Amino acid sequence: MKLVQDQLAEERSTKSSLEARAIGVITSSGALATLLFALAALVTKAAGHELPDLARLVLGATLVAFMGAAVLAIIAARPETYQEVTIESLRAAATQEAMGAPAEKGESEIARVLVDIIAKARDENGNKARFLRRAVTLESVAAVLLALAVAIVLVQG
C-alpha cells in the first residue's frame, strides 16, 4: 500500500513540476519576444537605417516561434481534471458494513482505486510533458533565430 501511495504522491509532484516549468517557458518566451521588439525598434530608429529584408524575415519567424512556444506552454500549464476519489466512494467506505470488513479487503479495494487514479494522472502528466517538450523545442529554435537575426543586422548593418 505504501508503494501505491508513494506513486500517487510522485504523480502529483510531477504535475506541479511540469506546470511550473511551463510557466517558465511562457515567461522566458515573453521576455525574449520583448527583446526582439526592442532590437527591431532600436535598429529601425537609427537615422537612415532600415532593417535588412532577410533580418525582417528571420525576426518574423522568431516571433512566430516564440508565440508557438508560449501557446504550447500555456496548454501544458492549463488546469486539467485529474481523477480523484469520489464523494460517493468515500461515503461507501464510511458505512458501518465497510468499516466492519476485514482490513485486507479494504486495503485491496483502496489500492485498486488509487492505481486507477495514478493511471489517469500518468496519462495527463504525459500529455503535459509532450506539450512542454514541444514548447521548449520551439523556444530553442526561436532563440537561435533571434541570434541569427542579430548577426544579420550586425553584418549587413
Side-chain angles (χ1 to χ4, degrees):
M1 186 64 158
K2 172 108 172 76
L3 173 65
V4 173
Q5 291 170 335
D6 288 348
Q7 289 296 302
L8 181 57
E10 180 68 26
E11 289 304 318
R12 288 179 174 157
S13 175
T14 298
K15 174 186 181 287
S16 296
S17 175
L18 288 168
E19 289 173 354
R21 286 187 246 170
I23 297 300
V25 170
I26 295 165
T27 302
S28 60
S29 286
L32 291 170
T34 300
L35 287 174
L36 176 126
F37 283 119
L39 169 72
L42 184 65
V43 168
T44 56
K45 270 206 163 193
H49 191 278
E50 195 170 307
L51 204 56
D53 289 339
L54 182 57
R56 285 179 194 269
L57 179 68
V58 174
L59 286 173
T62 303
L63 182 60
V64 168
F66 277 133
M67 291 304 301
V71 167
L72 289 170
I74 289 168
I75 292 169
R78 76 180 182 259
E80 291 291 334
T81 304
Y82 279 59
Q83 182 176 339
E84 290 296 337
V85 178
T86 64
I87 296 298
E88 296 80 31
S89 63
L90 289 173
R91 283 191 178 119
T95 64
Q96 196 70 347
E97 179 183 338
M99 299 298 266
E104 301 83 33
K105 182 176 191 247
E107 282 188 2
S108 66
E109 183 63 24
I110 291 169
R112 186 188 61 73
V113 169
L114 292 179
V115 168
D116 288 346
I117 292 170
I118 291 167
K120 177 70 171 158
R122 283 193 179 163
D123 287 346
E124 292 296 333
N125 286 342
N127 288 335
K128 285 181 179 293
R130 278 186 286 285
F131 280 109
L132 181 58
R133 273 193 299 275
R134 291 175 187 145
V136 169
T137 299
L138 261 181
E139 188 174 51
S140 299
V141 167
V144 169
L145 287 172
L146 181 56
L148 179 61
V150 170
I152 291 168
V153 168
L154 292 176
V155 169
Q156 291 186 4

